[in-house]
Amino acid sequence: MPVLTGTLVVGLPIADRWRSMVFYRDAFGFAPLGDPAEDGVPEPLRFRLDERTLLMLIPTGGFGWVIGDGRQIAPPGVHESLLGLGLASESDVDTVIERAVRAGGETVTAPGPQPWGYSGVCADPDGHLWQITVEPPADS
């Protein structure tokens, strides 16, 4: 089994660089990396999620080029992944879902108790789904 020694990059296709930068900054508190390009948005548009993980947002035309081989990106409303964000408390989950809506996203599943714990799902302006949950205790 290979051992991850570098950075893990999660890439998502986006329609609008500025709108996406503002959403991820305002909804989740992620700070974009790098100096702004002419449009005021760093190129590439990346956010450091932790010491080894980056979120990179790629315009849809560039995303198709990156994945290559004539592959198509999924159309809006078709989801092939669910990104998760663990937080400390139920009120933190509520707050992040509310901030996501104010930043241009939408609530997909309102925060509340689920069989696996307290959770809600929101979508960014491009429809990418984020499940926001209360992080289980470290000993579970």
Side-chain angles (χ1 to χ4, degrees):
M1 173 72 92
V3 176
L4 179 65
T5 59
T7 301
L8 171 66
V9 179
V10 176
L12 299 175
I14 59 168
D16 182 290
R17 287 167 33 83
W18 181 262
R19 179 182 73 179
S20 293
M21 180 189 70
V22 169
F23 174 83
Y24 280 93
R25 181 194 67 203
D26 294 355
F28 300 136
F30 298 163
L33 300 175
D35 295 324
E38 290 180 15
D39 64 357
V41 178
E43 174 60 37
L45 179 52
R46 300 173 301 154
F47 302 90
R48 180 157 301 283
L49 304 184
D50 67 18
E51 61 278 351
R52 301 209 26 216
T53 311
L54 291 174
L55 174 64
M56 183 163 50
L57 304 177
I58 307 166
T60 53
F63 197 87
W65 176 78
V66 168
I67 61 176
D69 204 16
R71 295 179 186 268
Q72 300 294 315
I73 63 170
V78 175
H79 304 285
E80 297 173 334
S81 64
L82 175 66
L83 301 160
L85 181 64
L87 300 175
S89 70
E90 292 178 4
S91 65
D92 289 342
V93 171
D94 296 341
T95 297
V96 167
I97 297 281
E98 291 168 7
R99 286 180 13 205
V101 171
R102 283 196 309 269
E106 67 177 285
T107 300
V108 175
T109 303
Q114 303 295 336
W116 56 88
Y118 194 86
S119 176
V121 177
C122 62
D124 74 4
D126 292 287
H128 302 297
L129 300 176
W130 284 82
Q131 183 178 41
I132 314 301
T133 61
V134 174
E135 191 78 72
D139 59 354
S140 3

